[in-house]
Amino acid sequence: MAGRFETLPGGGAAVALDDVEISILRSLAVQLMELIGPGDEPAKDADPLAALFAEGPSKPPSDPALKRLFPDAYGDDSEELRAAASDFRRFTENDLRARKRDDALVVVRALDALSADTAGEGGAVLKLTPDESRAWLGALNDLRLTIGTRLEVTDEEGEQLYRLPDSDPRKPMVMAYLWLGALQESLVETLMP
């Protein structure tokens, strides 16, 4: 099971993680939540109907990683499509940001619980329910998109990532990117019927 998710009887997935892997995953998930931002959550006493019609941003983010996480719904080939993309973003981005934050929070909470249960043991087996597995899958995808954007990964140079010299300053993030990809792939396999 080392480094790969495996299916649990009755659904869900499990993976063995050491303390370093737990720390890296937690740190990346927290950084993702910070990148996405706190969101514009309505006050608890706010009108629920008003919250339903709350509007989000109408322009794409300027940060390339956020632009990758929250792309335009339509191409910007025409004024009409740009207007439609703006409307779509205004009514959907807040919910999408909330879901991405929630997915990352599921990761942080699972890792915190795992760390608390295994203090000083050097690692443990993380067991996820089917719902937690789907949240993890979303968070792993978002982490890979973010890191890939920061590294400016393209399809053409994908193979070159495996051959980076140790002296390359991108090497630690490339290793994290590749590791997250392997975790994501094994988790997808556990969720397939």
Side-chain angles (χ1 to χ4, degrees):
M1 181 184 312
R4 290 190 53 81
F5 278 97
E6 293 185 8
T7 305
L8 288 175
V15 64
L17 298 170
D18 65 30
D19 287 341
V20 172
E21 293 168 328
I22 292 168
S23 177
I24 291 169
L25 280 169
R26 188 185 188 291
S27 175
L28 290 173
V30 167
Q31 290 176 54
L32 179 63
M33 288 189 306
E34 290 171 354
L35 176 68
I36 293 169
D40 298 322
E41 301 295 325
K44 292 188 189 260
D45 58 345
D47 177 10
L49 191 56
L52 183 63
F53 293 102
E55 293 186 10
S58 60
K59 295 186 182 194
S62 58
D63 182 306
L66 286 174
K67 195 178 281 190
R68 183 71 176 102
L69 291 175
F70 306 105
D72 274 335
Y74 311 102
D76 58 354
D77 297 339
S78 69
E79 187 65 33
E80 185 177 311
L81 287 177
R82 282 192 295 276
S86 176
D87 286 343
F88 185 82
R89 178 177 301 282
R90 197 170 69 235
F91 293 114
T92 62
E93 188 170 313
N94 284 345
D95 288 341
L96 186 56
R97 281 180 182 264
R99 196 201 78 226
K100 290 179 181 296
R101 273 192 306 277
D102 290 347
D103 288 350
L105 189 57
V106 168
V107 170
V108 170
R109 287 182 175 155
L111 295 171
D112 284 351
L114 189 64
S115 295
D117 291 344
T118 62
E121 293 180 21
V125 175
L126 174 71
K127 295 180 181 178
L128 302 173
T129 66
D131 286 342
E132 290 170 329
S133 295
R134 284 186 285 281
W136 268 71
L137 189 57
L140 289 172
N141 185 61
D142 291 341
L143 287 170
R144 287 194 74 241
L145 287 173
T146 301
I147 293 171
T149 301
R150 295 284 190 243
L151 292 170
E152 299 178 353
V153 173
T154 64
D155 290 337
E156 295 82 42
E157 70 176 10
E159 283 296 314
Q160 295 173 1
L161 294 177
Y162 290 97
R163 293 188 275 283
L164 279 180
D166 289 342
S167 60
D168 192 308
R170 301 175 301 161
K171 182 80 175 210
M173 288 312 296
V174 166
M175 296 303 293
Y177 175 78
L178 296 172
W179 174 58
L180 291 169
L183 280 177
Q184 182 182 16
E185 183 179 343
S186 68
L187 183 54
V188 165
E189 290 170 2
T190 70
L191 296 174
M192 294 178 73

